Amino acid sequence: MAGEPPRWVVRLARLAALAPLPSGLWRIVAALGVPVGFTGDEAMATVTFGSGFSLYMIALTLFAEGLGLLTLGLVQRWGQVVPHWIPLLGGRRVPTAVAVVPAGLGATVLTGFGVLGALGWNAPDAMGHPDAPDGVAYGVMTACYLPLLAWGPLLAVVTGHYWLRRRRARRAHQVRWSR
């Protein structure tokens, strides 16, 4: 098994796992039907708990939180060895590519979405729309979505370090056995 990650990498992994939390909490509040500043005919202005749209927002939040928590596997033992309680696979080594490829693709997609979202945040069809929140509601929503800008880059750094640790461990193992 690869060595323990440095504390700074563990901290970055925790930050990456927490990045979707504020926007998720904001979506849950909106899904519960609490007014979040949208007006007019916007779907967000008329959300009622239990509607298809509110259930979609809750499902999206759970999905994003689940993906965020997977980042922790890149710095935990269960990211290198499948936990024993998982049938058929428990105790087996996680191939490096099984973690690195999806995490790397995720980091790329999240970074791209983050950049596009930041560039278009105040566009006329987004937060610049007359029915979009303004004032405090705008500030709260912006503050809740701001951490998503860091999610992709944080995941990229943690993924790169995971790959490097696993590669170093594999090389050290090969050198030991070649003697």
Side-chain angles (χ1 to χ4, degrees):
M1 189 167 90
E4 292 293 316
R7 269 189 264 169
W8 67 269
V9 175
V10 173
R11 285 187 189 121
L12 292 183
R14 289 176 182 159
L15 286 174
L18 290 172
L21 186 61
S23 62
L25 292 174
W26 185 91
R27 275 191 305 276
I28 295 293
V29 167
L32 292 174
V34 175
V36 290
F38 285 90
T39 59
D41 294 334
E42 287 282 325
M44 292 295 299
T46 59
V47 175
T48 56
F49 180 67
S51 68
F53 190 61
S54 75
L55 296 177
Y56 161 75
M57 289 194 306
I58 293 169
L60 177 62
T61 296
L62 294 174
F63 181 69
E65 297 304 325
L67 290 178
L69 290 173
L70 282 176
T71 306
L72 298 176
L74 298 172
V75 295
Q76 301 285 331
R77 178 170 163 72
W78 56 268
Q80 297 179 44
V81 177
V82 179
H84 288 285
W85 56 266
I86 296 181
L88 304 176
L89 299 175
R92 293 186 187 190
R93 187 181 69 80
V94 174
T96 303
V98 168
V100 170
V101 170
L105 290 172
T108 302
V109 169
L110 288 169
T111 301
F113 280 155
V115 169
L116 292 175
L119 293 175
W121 187 253
N122 287 315
D125 60 339
M127 293 300 283
H129 192 279
D131 292 340
D134 58 2
V136 172
Y138 171 87
V140 169
M141 184 177 177
T142 301
C144 287
Y145 276 82
L146 193 59
L148 292 179
L149 290 175
W151 191 9
L154 288 170
L155 179 57
V157 171
V158 174
T159 302
H161 198 275
Y162 174 88
W163 175 80
L164 190 60
R165 264 191 354 265
R166 295 289 301 265
R167 187 174 130 227
R168 286 179 183 159
R170 186 178 66 239
R171 284 190 176 168
H173 181 75
Q174 289 171 343
V175 167
R176 267 186 263 139
W177 285 99
S178 66
R179 291 181 185 174

